Amino acid sequence: MLILAGQGNPGPAYAGNRHNIGFRAVDAIASRWGFGPERSRFQGLAREGVIETPEGPVRALTLKPQTFYNESGRAAAAALKFFKLSPADLVLFYDEIDLAGGRFRMKTGGGAAGNNGVRSVTAHVGPDFRRARLGVGHPGHKDRVQGHVLSDFHKSELAWVSALVGAVADAAPLLAAGEDERYQAEVLRLAPAEKLDPRRPGDLA
């Protein structure tokens, strides 16, 4: 069993926010691979299904914590405990301001880099979970970060947002097989994005 948790805030008011791209990513995976209906589980909304890999099917659960972004570790920990899994069986999808819009990076372990949602997951399950970092760009100054991540994507950004979450879903067999480096490469092949400076406001779209 693999837990694919997305970070975001619950409710329609936040649905279009940059902070909620993690929700979009796991929704895309669940839809692409025909997961079952969404149910309230583990202080979140969950869908369960199977991702086919060359080595065989892998059971997976997508999870959208409904505890608000900064407390998402509670939901992730509850799911891991229920299925008797380790942090290595958790992949957290979240918005990364230190990557330009449309870029994608996989990483295991490390610090929170100022992300309170990642800090919450680390506090509840330890640091050794897998991180799927979805670039949303940086507003250029730390005082503008909160407003940036809690604002909706611009219309000009929606094309790369759609391409990125679609690629994350299409390449999911590599993720399910534990091949994170190949998964990262395939996502970027399917949804190529320039290596721009995330702190240049003109490069966000």
Side-chain angles (χ1 to χ4, degrees), residues 10 27 31 35 60 64-65 67 73 103 109 114 117 124 135-136 158 162 166 171:
D27 278 344
S31 295
F35 283 23
K64 297 187 296 183
T67 51
R103 298 295 295 174
H124 285 274
V136 298
L158 294 180
S162 178

Side-chain angles (χ1 to χ4, degrees), residues 1 3 12 16 21 23 33 35 40 71 112 117 121 123 125 131 146 161 167 174 177 203:
M1 171 66 78
I3 307 298
I21 195 171
F23 277 11
W33 296 97
F35 283 23
S40 294
E71 293 292 336
V121 175
V125 308
R131 300 129 191 257
Q146 184 173 3
V161 172
L174 291 169
D203 286 348

Side-chain angles (χ1 to χ4, degrees), residues 96-107:
E96 175 57 79
I97 60 174
D98 289 328
L99 290 175
R103 298 295 295 174
F104 180 75
R105 285 285 181 271
M106 288 296 298
K107 177 183 179 182

Side-chain angles (χ1 to χ4, degrees), residues 26-27 30-31 34-39 45-49 60-63:
V26 297
D27 278 344
S31 295
F35 283 23
E38 195 167 74
R39 294 193 292 149
L45 297 175
R47 295 176 67 181
E48 194 169 338
L61 181 105
T62 58
L63 179 64

Side-chain angles (χ1 to χ4, degrees), residues 14 24 28 76-77 86 130 174 181 198:
Y14 299 100
R24 293 190 188 212
S86 72
R130 297 154 67 189
L174 291 169
E181 287 188 14

Side-chain angles (χ1 to χ4, degrees), residues 21-95:
I21 195 171
F23 277 11
R24 293 190 188 212
V26 297
D27 278 344
I29 292 171
S31 295
R32 169 67 176 80
W33 296 97
F35 283 23
E38 195 167 74
R39 294 193 292 149
S40 294
R41 298 180 76 186
F42 312 120
Q43 302 178 66
L45 297 175
R47 295 176 67 181
E48 194 169 338
V50 168
I51 298 172
E52 295 293 341
T53 80
E55 292 76 33
V58 174
R59 288 177 63 212
L61 181 105
T62 58
L63 179 64
K64 297 187 296 183
Q66 301 295 289
T67 51
F68 284 93
Y69 194 101
N70 292 352
E71 293 292 336
S72 46
R74 290 192 279 144
L80 288 182
K81 182 178 180 181
F82 178 85
F83 290 108
K84 298 181 174 62
L85 301 174
S86 72
D89 300 310
L90 169 67
V91 183
L92 185 70
F93 290 81
Y94 62 93
D95 52 301

Side-chain angles (χ1 to χ4, degrees), residues 137-185:
H138 195 289
H141 192 281
K142 64 180 181 179
D143 292 343
R144 296 171 55 200
V145 166
Q146 184 173 3
H148 175 65
V149 296
L150 290 175
S151 64
D152 288 357
F153 286 106
H154 299 140
K155 286 184 179 179
S156 61
E157 297 175 289
L158 294 180
W160 67 251
V161 172
S162 178
L164 178 58
V165 299
V168 160
D170 287 345
L174 291 169
L175 181 71
E179 299 189 42
D180 288 3
E181 287 188 14
R182 289 185 62 198
Y183 178 60
Q184 174 182 299

